[in-house]
Amino acid sequence: MSKKILGLDLGTNSIGWALVETDFENKTGKIIGAGSRIIPMDQGILGDFDRGNSVSQTAERTGYRGIRRLRERYLLRRERLHRVLHLMGFLPKHYAEQIDFEKNIGRFIDDKEPKLVWVADKEAQTQKFIFGQSFEEMLHDFVQYQPQLLENGKKIPYDWTLYYLRKKALTQKIAKEELAWILLNFNQKRGYYQLRGEEDEENATRLVEYYSLWVTNVEDSGEKKGNDIWYNVHLENGWIYRRSSKIPLEWTGKIKDFIVTTDLNDDGTVKLDKYGNEKRSFRAPDENDWTLVKKKTEGEIVQSGKTVGCYIYDALLRNPNQKIKGKLVRVIERKFYKEELIKILQKQKEFHAELNDKELLTTCVGELYSNNEPHRNNLEKRDFTSLFVDDIILYQRPLKSKKSLISDCRYEAKEYTDAEGHGVSVSVKCI
């Protein structure tokens, strides 16, 4: 009598199968079919599976959806910038010709995405950089500070002209098209801003700073925390950082990076604990820690006393091999970009009459808000700086209120009498 047997080989990311027919009496058989199904999974997912960590089926979709939202909001800001800059006459001709200002207003024409700083040279059949004069001005700086960089026909990137213009715009006149390039660049790189859970600017009782300090001595305090030992790390400025560790801290004579949080009184003075010591907490994160890199970069910019654009350009003059994105400046607070953008626009008002034209401002605001009369009237009372900075480039959609999700307290209620004399009881919201 023959039997059919299905055999399965279940692995972490594959399933093997074979269907065989076997005659046990005559000891014969055959393979009817066999195969395998490979489930594509990266090493991270396999590791979570082995550790028994559950993974949400929608987590990946949620991540992609967040990326799409960021992209769509960036494109919407760019379209609004295109519309305003076009009315002001600030866009280069070759760039404006490839933008739809009739149907899909502010968007690039289908299958077209021109580069603002490059125009096609039909005779030479190449692309020409349109801000050649500013590029030559920048070369004079590099001839002065880095002459070897231009020896033997060496070239420097045209893109660095943007940083030169961001520095120049703070003190001198730049062309309208150059200002449009700067504004569109700020639309891409706006800095970090988080409404939820972070109140650094509003919280005047806490001061969070970055320090790079020399460790003068590390001593064992004799206290223990489980299997860990508490160490007193003495720093060059007299501060003492307490840290627990299972292994001895060999930090003496080394420079360590710290995120220091200081508690302040209402008058700005440092709070003291019951022993009379200043209330200050330390964190010594890994050198690749996101918060450390952010605070470190912000601290260096503040210490330099320069705007972000000046800081980058001067760093290039000192070290042309310096990588900008992801290295020199990674993520910093949005306020740094906002301060620079306001300074640039305020200075360029002295040279471009369009930035002071109230009638032109009314036309641009009407282009953006044809149906929103209250907001249109509010913007018309301001200027182009406010329009560009607060309403277009650095606009932040407010968070939605979720107070309706807070439950009612079952133990406490407020009672009052309505207009008809009836008693009304309203529960207090839970805390």
Side-chain angles (χ1 to χ4, degrees):
M1 179 180 178
S2 62
K3 290 184 178 181
K4 292 182 180 178
I5 301 174
L6 174 64
L8 298 175
D9 177 19
L10 303 179
T12 56
N13 64 328
S14 64
I15 299 175
W17 64 272
L19 182 62
V20 299
E21 185 176 7
T22 303
D23 187 343
F24 291 99
E25 295 180 357
N26 299 321
K27 296 183 179 180
T28 59
K30 63 179 180 178
I31 300 175
I32 299 176
S36 64
R37 177 71 170 97
I38 306 297
I39 304 172
M41 298 169 65
D42 61 32
Q43 196 60 41
I45 297 176
L46 285 175
D48 288 335
F49 180 84
D50 293 337
R51 288 189 290 269
N53 297 336
S54 60
V55 179
S56 170
Q57 297 298 313
T58 60
E60 187 175 3
R61 289 209 315 271
T62 301
Y64 286 130
R65 184 166 64 251
I67 295 173
R68 288 198 302 273
R69 284 175 177 168
L70 291 176
R71 178 181 178 273
E72 289 302 318
R73 289 170 185 167
Y74 154 71
L75 293 177
L76 179 60
R77 293 194 306 271
R78 187 176 69 179
E79 292 166 13
R80 287 159 56 82
L81 264 178
H82 283 164
R83 296 165 68 179
V84 173
L85 293 172
H86 177 64
L87 290 174
M88 297 177 69
F90 277 39
L91 292 177
K93 182 180 178 181
H94 76 280
Y95 187 79
E97 288 175 348
Q98 301 186 64
I99 300 176
D100 187 349
F101 291 107
E102 296 180 1
K103 187 177 181 181
N104 298 315
I105 305 177
R107 297 185 185 181
F108 290 123
I109 298 173
D110 291 344
D111 302 323
K112 300 286 185 180
E113 189 161 353
K115 302 297 182 184
L116 187 144
V117 298
W118 294 94
V119 63
D121 188 340
K122 296 181 179 179
E123 296 182 0
Q125 296 184 347
T126 58
Q127 295 288 322
K128 179 182 178 182
F129 186 72
I130 66 174
F131 301 134
Q133 181 177 349
S134 296
F135 178 72
E136 292 296 329
E137 293 174 4
M138 181 183 67
L139 287 182
H140 289 302
D141 288 346
F142 280 94
V143 169
Q144 180 180 355
Y145 291 95
Q146 300 288 341
Q148 76 286 352
L149 193 64
L150 301 173
E151 294 177 351
N152 303 321
K154 294 180 181 179
K155 297 181 179 180
I156 64 175
Y158 285 102
D159 292 343
W160 289 0
T161 310
L162 175 66
Y163 303 116
Y164 168 75
L165 288 173
R166 284 170 63 175
K167 180 177 181 179
K168 179 182 177 181
L170 295 170
T171 55
Q172 305 174 50
K173 179 182 178 180
I174 61 174
K176 300 175 182 179
E177 294 80 5
E178 293 172 336
L179 181 57
W181 186 22
I182 290 175
L183 292 174
L184 287 165
N185 176 257
F186 272 101
N187 182 48
Q188 289 181 294
K189 194 74 172 177
R190 305 194 306 157
Y192 174 80
Y193 184 69
Q194 175 61 272
L195 284 173
R196 185 185 292 109
E198 296 200 5
E199 303 173 350
D200 289 346
E201 292 187 8
E202 293 77 9
N203 190 350
T205 62
R206 294 176 69 247
L207 178 63
V208 182
E209 299 174 296
Y210 159 79
Y211 286 93
S212 185
L213 299 172
W214 187 279
V215 179
T216 58
N217 185 32
V218 178
E219 64 177 5
D220 185 345
S221 67
E223 303 175 25
K224 287 193 174 183
K225 177 185 176 181
N227 295 326
D228 294 358
I229 299 176
W230 280 103
Y231 291 92
N232 292 329
V233 181
H234 294 262
L235 305 175
E236 59 178 303
N237 61 355
W239 290 347
I240 299 178
Y241 165 45
R242 283 175 56 83
R243 180 188 177 99
S244 61
S245 176
K246 293 181 180 179
I247 59 177
L249 296 179
E250 299 178 354
W251 288 5
T252 303
K254 296 181 179 180
I255 296 178
K256 302 296 290 185
D257 295 326
F258 299 96
I259 299 295
V260 182
T261 303
T262 306
D263 293 339
L264 304 176
N265 295 309
D266 294 336
D267 59 358
T269 58
V270 180
K271 281 186 177 181
L272 304 178
D273 59 19
K274 60 182 180 180
Y275 301 107
N277 300 318
E278 295 181 341
K279 295 186 69 174
R280 186 177 286 112
S281 61
F282 295 78
R283 190 165 69 88
D286 182 78
E287 61 181 7
N288 295 319
D289 182 89
W290 183 86
T291 307
L292 174 66
V293 174
K294 175 175 173 292
K295 287 294 181 182
K296 183 177 181 180
T297 306
E298 291 174 352
E300 291 173 351
I301 294 175
V302 170
Q303 189 175 6
S304 69
K306 304 173 183 176
T307 61
V308 181
C310 290
Y311 174 76
I312 294 174
Y313 182 68
D314 291 344
L316 288 174
L317 286 178
R318 293 193 305 271
N319 179 17
N321 296 322
Q322 172 70 62
K323 186 177 183 296
I324 303 299
K325 294 182 180 179
K327 190 66 176 178
L328 180 65
V329 176
R330 289 179 64 177
V331 179
I332 57 176
E333 289 285 347
R334 183 169 297 175
K335 63 181 180 181
F336 290 93
Y337 291 99
K338 184 175 182 178
E339 290 171 2
E340 179 182 358
L341 183 54
I342 291 175
K343 288 180 180 179
I344 289 175
L345 289 171
Q346 293 291 0
K347 187 62 181 180
Q348 293 308 306
K349 276 185 176 183
E350 302 175 9
F351 309 110
H352 299 291
E354 292 86 350
L355 293 174
N356 299 297
D357 192 333
K358 285 293 184 180
E359 293 184 3
L360 181 58
L361 175 64
T362 301
T363 303
C364 293
V365 171
E367 168 71 17
L368 296 178
Y369 300 102
S370 58
N371 299 319
N372 191 343
E373 184 177 355
H375 190 58
R376 186 171 65 245
N377 294 335
N378 184 33
L379 288 175
E380 289 174 357
K381 298 176 183 177
R382 304 182 186 180
D383 56 7
F384 272 108
T385 299
S386 177
L387 178 64
F388 282 125
V389 176
D390 300 321
D391 199 73
I392 301 179
I393 298 177
L394 301 183
Y395 172 75
Q396 183 75 19
R397 179 182 62 85
L399 293 175
K400 296 179 181 178
S401 174
K402 295 298 179 182
K403 290 183 178 179
S404 60
L405 300 181
I406 302 177
S407 302
D408 293 332
C409 179
R410 70 178 76 176
Y411 303 110
E412 186 178 358
K414 292 182 178 179
E415 297 181 355
Y416 65 93
T417 303
D418 61 13
E420 299 178 358
H422 301 294
V424 180
S425 179
V426 179
S427 297
V428 176
K429 291 294 183 180
C430 292
I431 298 176

